[in-house]
Amino acid sequence: MATPALTTRLDRLRQSNVVDLIGYGLLALVGIWLAGNFIKDPTEFVNVGLIGVTNGLIYGLVALGYTLVYGILQLINFAHGDVFALSGLVAWSLIVNVIGLEADASVAAIVGGLALTLAIVMPMFSFINAGIEFVAYRRLRHAPRLAALITAVGMSFIVQNVSLAFYDVEFHSVPSFIPRTEAIGIGDITYSWNKLAAVLITIPVLVLLTWFVRTTKQGKAMRAVAQDTEASAMMGINVNRTISVTFALAGSLAAVAGLVYLLQFNIRYDTGFELGLIAFTAAVLGGIGNLTGAVLGAIVIGLIQAFNEGLTWHTPGSDWTRTIVFGILILILVFRPEGLLGERTPEGA
């Protein structure tokens, strides 16, 4: 006769197998749908996929801000998406009202103006994000997590309403400084200059951040604090300064993402709410707390969004994009809470 402990283990094993089968079944359905679209029109499939990769890299800049903060504080900084939107609006003000860049300006003027804008918004939002940590989160570091979570939601509304007060409800955009003509072409597969520019801005930033976290003294301090705050303090690491640097880095990433997004799309005060949730979903998908996982998850989300909105064979369409993206978040939390790269969190272990 089976013992109660053995019966419990068998029940858990059966439940686990059922959950795994459901997960594999869903993946098989997605695979069949993608294969069908590829067979129907390979050129369309690749062109849409390139758009998804480009958008995914932009989401990755925002997702890295979430994963950096979570890796150290186990805090979901919901204000991060709104900091991204505000940075994009400030970049718009600088480009249009201060620098006065026009679409017919010379290449040198456009490159110089965008570089100047980036040189202003990055330190500005590094300071703002570090200030948010100092004012809103530092005193709650040893409080129950619910208190910090509620505070993060409150900070999100505060930053969003600051954006609304200064920039109203209208969408803001800049002229098409970067041509939308073909940069790379193989047959009917094309990649335009404006999308290539987003990649050329985003990838060096991601590489530089990875180098900083893995190689520099401050990056090693960040990893040490992420592993054990108390032990890090005993070994002489300034924990408060390390956390402030982390928030400053996240703010600068949000500023880069805000400018890159502005060059591709229009932006307004609440753009960061939805895009922030998409970026958070990407961070969870890749394995929150894992830098590489955040970028991988963002690219996957970008591809899913592009395929849903751009393919034609049995595609739900753009009205279902939000439902699909956040449905993916729920499925991840159910089937693989540690994310694609297996980075287990206290909640998902």
Side-chain angles (χ1 to χ4, degrees), residues 33-306:
W33 173 67
L34 290 174
N37 274 283
F38 180 79
I39 293 169
K40 180 177 181 293
D41 193 338
T43 300
E44 178 188 66
F45 187 91
V46 175
N47 282 326
V48 171
L50 290 173
I51 294 172
V53 171
T54 304
N55 292 343
L57 287 172
I58 298 173
Y59 298 157
L61 287 172
V62 185
L64 282 170
Y66 280 105
T67 208
L68 276 172
V69 170
Y70 187 89
I72 287 185
L73 290 181
Q74 280 73 56
L75 168 69
I76 301 169
N77 181 21
F78 284 113
H80 186 71
D82 299 288
V83 170
F84 149 80
L86 182 57
S87 71
L89 291 168
V90 171
W92 171 84
S93 293
L94 291 170
I95 291 171
V96 174
N97 298 326
V98 178
I99 301 173
L101 276 181
E102 300 288 346
D104 57 356
S106 66
V107 174
I110 291 173
V111 172
L114 295 179
L116 178 61
T117 301
L118 202 58
I120 294 172
V121 295
M122 284 184 69
M124 176 188 294
F125 282 90
S126 292
F127 178 79
I128 289 173
N129 216 40
I132 289 174
E133 185 275 327
F134 180 79
V135 172
Y137 301 143
R138 183 165 296 187
R139 293 180 180 274
L140 299 175
R141 198 170 294 164
H142 302 292
R145 286 193 184 181
L146 184 60
L149 185 65
I150 293 172
T151 302
V153 174
M155 283 305 307
S156 172
F157 283 114
I158 290 171
V159 176
Q160 188 176 121
N161 279 279
V162 168
S163 300
L164 177 61
F166 281 98
Y167 293 99
D168 208 355
V169 297
E170 300 298 325
F171 281 98
H172 299 277
S173 60
V174 295
S176 297
F177 297 121
I178 304 170
R180 298 178 183 271
T181 54
E182 180 182 303
I184 301 171
I186 302 174
D188 292 330
I189 298 172
T190 61
Y191 199 59
S192 59
W193 281 107
N194 64 314
K195 293 181 175 61
L196 181 61
V199 174
L200 294 177
I201 293 172
T202 303
I203 289 181
V205 171
L206 301 179
V207 171
L208 184 62
L209 176 66
T210 302
W211 170 82
F212 178 86
V213 172
R214 292 183 178 178
T215 307
T216 65
K217 183 178 179 180
Q218 185 62 60
K220 292 176 181 177
M222 289 167 59
R223 287 189 289 154
V225 172
Q227 289 183 4
D228 194 320
T229 303
E230 294 182 0
S232 299
M234 291 173 61
M235 296 301 294
I237 294 174
N238 188 325
V239 173
N240 286 334
R241 184 179 66 188
T242 301
I243 292 174
S244 293
V245 168
T246 303
F247 270 83
L249 270 177
S252 65
L253 287 168
V256 175
L259 177 60
V260 174
Y261 189 90
L262 180 67
L263 294 175
Q264 300 286 326
F265 312 102
N266 51 24
I267 193 169
R268 71 173 190 171
Y269 77 99
D270 61 349
T271 300
F273 176 75
E274 182 177 349
L275 194 138
L277 287 176
I278 290 173
F280 170 65
T281 303
V284 174
L285 173 60
I288 194 162
N290 186 302
L291 297 179
T292 306
V295 178
L296 175 62
I299 292 173
V300 171
I301 292 293
L303 287 170
I304 291 169
Q305 185 178 25

Side-chain angles (χ1 to χ4, degrees), residues 314-328:
H314 296 296
T315 302
S318 58
D319 291 341
W320 285 87
T321 297
R322 294 181 185 180
T323 303
I324 292 170
V325 170
F326 299 123
I328 289 169

